[in-house]
């Protein structure tokens, strides 16, 4: 690592931090899409619990990253200014609400998945704002990163829903169209985000993002849309499941790249350099 006027890559967040955004986003998206689908019975219960499990796995990753894990409760101490604190509070409310909704759905009481869905949206929104709050990293502080993480999480959750569709049988043509629309929204938001970074982020950060963008375009958009078209035309549950399988990992790869490979600091911005024996002069 070299500190100075040239950008350097941050090391505070590694693959474990990325795992929090991957698991939390996919799990939240799955809970929200389950509510949107109006899933009921044992299928709704299983999907809600799967979403909670993914969120829990993500939080376990970031907990493992702490140098002193037993001090993790300190995260609750600053709700006025910390998006991490707000994320933790949202998760604390989401888990019992989601578990209760799953239990009620399993016993035949349906139509209340909207409550964990709202809490899941609040959770992923807090996560997104937590990334954007890192002002020293151009790829993170860009306001479009919030929309990108939200769109990616919804598309991942929809992908997981359709991946499991051959089992739960809760899919429909309108839901398939919503899935396709989410894939298109995600890639449009991606290109808007990437365009705004030109001239502002380090070349190595842009190169890493461009690689992730190619994966998102081909593996996460073109392929699943083609498979989704096959599923709609032929009524193939297997094609829809393959579309979900393609869509979810591509979004996860984008988030992994964003956190671990594109997190370059902007470097020091010195307007004037001191020179011994001379008055301060402006940098060229």
């Amino acid at each position: 690592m070299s500190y100075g006027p040239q950008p350097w890559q941050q090391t505070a967040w590694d693959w474990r931090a990325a795992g929090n955004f991957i698991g939390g986003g996919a799990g939240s998206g799955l809970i929200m899409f389950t509510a949107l689908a109006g899933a009921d019975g044992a299928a709704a219960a299983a999907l809600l619990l799967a979403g909670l499990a993914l969120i829990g796995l993500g939080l376990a990753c970031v907990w493992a990253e702490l140098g002193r894990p037993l001090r993790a409760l300190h995260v609750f101490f600053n709700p006025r200014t910390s998006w991490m604190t707000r994320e933790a509070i949202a998760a604390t409310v989401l888990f019992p609400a989601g578990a209760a909704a799953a239990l009620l759905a399993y016993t035949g009481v349906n139509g209340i998945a909207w409550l964990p869905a709202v809490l899941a949206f609040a959770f992923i929104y807090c996560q997104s704002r937590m990334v954007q709050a890192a002002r020293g990293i151009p790829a993170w502080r860009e306001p479009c990163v919030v929309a990108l993480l939200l769109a990616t999480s919804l598309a991942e959750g929809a992908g997981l829903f359709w991946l499991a569709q051959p089992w739960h049988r809760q899919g429909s043509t309108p839901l398939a169209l919503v899935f396709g629309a989410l894939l298109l929204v995600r890639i449009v938001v991606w290109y808007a985000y990437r365009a705004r970074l030109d001239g502002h982020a380090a070349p190595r950060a842009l190169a890493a993002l461009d690689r992730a963008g190619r994966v998102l375009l081909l593996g996460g958009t073109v392929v699943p849309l083609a498979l989704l078209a096959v599923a709609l035309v032929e009524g193939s549950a297997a094609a829809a499941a393959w579309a979900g399988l393609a869509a979810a990992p591509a979004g996860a790869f984008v988030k992994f790249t964003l956190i671990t490979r594109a997190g370059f600091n902007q470097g020091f911005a010195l307007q004037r350099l001191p020179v011994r024996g001379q008055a301060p002069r402006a940098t060229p």
Side-chain angles (χ1 to χ4, degrees), residues 65-86:
E65 186 183 22
L66 297 177
R68 301 175 68 178
L70 295 180
R71 300 184 65 182
L73 290 178
H74 289 194
V75 74
F76 291 98
F77 292 171
N78 198 18
R80 293 179 58 187
T81 58
S82 172
W83 284 104
M84 186 176 293
T85 299
R86 295 164 188 167

Side-chain angles (χ1 to χ4, degrees), residues 113-136:
W114 61 267
L115 177 58
V118 170
L119 294 171
F121 179 83
F123 176 82
I124 192 58
Y125 179 76
C126 291
Q127 275 199 342
S128 305
R129 291 297 303 271
M130 187 167 62
V131 173
Q132 198 225 346
R135 300 299 183 186

